[in-house]
Amino acid sequence: MSKKRNDNNKAKRIIGIVSCTIIVSLCLICFAACGDSATAIEEVDVDLSVMNSTMVYAKVYDIVTNPTAYVGKTIKAKGNYYTSYYSQTQKYYNYVVIQDATACCAQGLEFECSVANYPSKGAEIEIVGVFKSYEELGITYYYIQASSLTVNP
């Protein structure tokens, strides 16, 4: 009888060890997944896509009027895509245009992206990129060097 009890105790220990190993493994997987998403969120310094329309407009106004404070920061923005051609430089410039709450006032942020085909004018887009500056015709301009551009349906 003691051999049977001993075998039962061994079986219980093995089941306990296996159960603990499974639980620890699942916890590690969960924590690893949380760590990845937390890192992705932390990478964006200014997320305009989650602010209400009043706050977005205020923040975009601050970016436009105080651009040096944002150079080097990663910005995420959602709005409508527009492009314009400037004959003096013979270049096209791309913008994400963000509306305010009443849709009466809009502010555009220039961006560049390495996509082969830009979306059609007016398409709703979301961009993520680093805010930078460049000199052109003796003037400093600011833009977002987008690492991603998503067209929203």
Side-chain angles (χ1 to χ4, degrees):
M1 187 127 149
S2 70
K3 178 151 172 78
K4 191 174 188 181
R5 188 179 294 168
N6 215 6
D7 288 342
N8 283 340
N9 286 339
K10 283 183 184 178
K12 286 179 184 178
R13 279 190 219 143
I14 291 172
I15 291 171
I17 291 170
V18 170
S19 298
C20 286
T21 303
I22 291 171
I23 290 170
V24 168
S25 298
L26 289 174
C27 287
L28 289 174
I29 290 169
C30 290
F31 288 135
C34 291
D36 290 344
S37 63
T39 301
I41 291 169
E42 288 175 21
E43 290 177 6
V44 176
D45 298 309
V46 180
D47 192 346
L48 300 170
S49 69
V50 296
M51 295 178 186
N52 68 39
S53 56
T54 303
M55 287 302 299
V56 166
Y57 190 74
K59 182 57 85 172
V60 171
Y61 180 80
D62 189 50
I63 292 170
V64 171
T65 58
N66 188 21
T68 55
Y70 294 91
V71 171
K73 295 191 184 284
T74 301
I75 297 176
K76 183 176 184 180
K78 186 176 2 178
N80 297 99
Y81 171 74
Y82 288 97
T83 187
S84 66
Y85 181 78
Y86 187 49
S87 60
Q88 278 191 299
T89 59
Q90 298 182 352
K91 288 173 52 179
Y92 283 93
Y93 298 87
N94 303 294
Y95 300 91
V96 57
V97 177
I98 303 163
Q99 300 281 340
D100 73 342
T102 60
C104 74
C105 306
Q107 185 65 53
L109 294 174
E110 183 182 348
F111 74 93
E112 288 184 11
C113 191
S114 61
V115 296
N117 296 315
Y118 282 92
S120 59
K121 283 186 181 179
E124 187 177 314
I125 62 169
E126 184 174 276
I127 62 169
V128 178
V130 177
F131 197 67
K132 297 183 175 186
S133 67
Y134 66 93
E135 293 281 327
E136 193 168 72
L137 303 174
I139 300 171
T140 302
Y141 294 94
Y142 297 89
Y143 73 106
I144 298 170
Q145 180 62 57
S147 55
S148 71
L149 183 150
T150 306
V151 179
N152 297 328

